[in-house]
Amino acid sequence: MLRRASPDDIPAILALQNAPGISEGFNPASAESYAKMIAHREREVFVWDTGAVCGLAMLALETRRHFFAELRKFGTYPTGQGHGAAFAQAILAEMFNKFGLFRVETQVYSRNTRALEFYARLGFVEEGCLRQAVRSHDGQRVDLVQMGCVFSDCNLAEAQHSA
């Protein structure tokens, strides 16, 4: 179930961001950073709760003029159990329906083919490449692939856009 993160979720969020297969794509944040983001709504922080927190999503919203969100962090653990697709669809439905956004975007390491394919299945389109934009955990410079999903391209069977 999708829900907003609470301060009680912070230990699970910290464990999740360091889980195998997730940690490379995340810039680690501290408990204090998450507490501040959750308390002051600096970012929209959501968790996927199936009896235990097994997913984390952090979004930066731009709602003053442009009505889009940047998906800054997304991950589920354990992987391969279908939580990622359900969680991502719930996040997109929330952004398009509740927040009335027209676009969600994200950046993915170019070598993370699993994530690139995952986002493509959801309706995200590759929009460009930021060459050697970041240094990965192993010290190598890595390209970031810019991806975006607009409501009309989104693969949500039940989505009803409010615009």
Side-chain angles (χ1 to χ4, degrees):
M1 167 175 98
L2 176 70
R3 64 176 175 77
R4 284 190 191 281
S6 75
D8 293 339
D9 295 319
I10 292 172
I13 289 170
L14 293 173
L16 188 66
Q17 80 176 1
N18 295 313
I22 294 177
S23 59
E24 169 157 319
F26 276 22
N27 291 324
S30 67
E32 295 78 21
S33 295
Y34 281 114
K36 185 177 177 185
M37 285 184 270
I38 291 167
H40 301 293
R41 305 276 302 269
E42 292 178 354
R43 298 279 187 268
E44 295 294 330
V45 182
F46 293 95
V47 294
W48 188 248
D49 189 338
T50 60
V53 172
C54 64
L56 167 68
M58 182 189 314
L59 297 102
L61 301 183
E62 170 28 90
T63 58
R64 294 184 131 177
R65 290 186 60 204
H66 304 295
F67 296 96
F68 72 91
E70 180 185 3
L71 182 58
R72 303 292 305 268
K73 290 185 180 188
F74 180 86
T76 60
Y77 186 81
T79 59
Q81 298 188 4
H83 295 302
F87 185 28
Q89 289 181 346
I91 287 289
L92 290 172
E94 183 87 354
M95 293 300 106
F96 290 131
N97 296 330
K98 182 176 178 185
F99 288 92
L101 303 182
F102 294 99
R103 171 185 172 79
V104 176
E105 60 186 40
T106 193
Q107 295 176 343
V108 180
Y109 285 4
S110 61
R111 65 185 184 193
N112 190 345
T113 56
R114 186 173 176 193
L116 292 167
E117 291 167 0
F118 173 78
Y119 287 116
R121 284 193 305 272
L122 292 169
F124 282 78
V125 175
E126 291 187 23
E127 298 177 327
C129 178
L130 304 167
R131 297 176 48 231
Q132 299 182 14
V134 295
R135 188 176 307 275
S136 68
H137 294 346
D138 60 10
Q140 294 183 8
R141 299 302 289 173
V142 180
D143 296 346
L144 287 177
V145 177
Q146 176 73 31
M147 301 185 80
C149 181
V150 295
F151 178 75
S152 60
D153 295 336
C154 187
N155 293 329
L156 295 175
E158 71 286 346
Q160 301 284 327
H161 193 257
S162 60

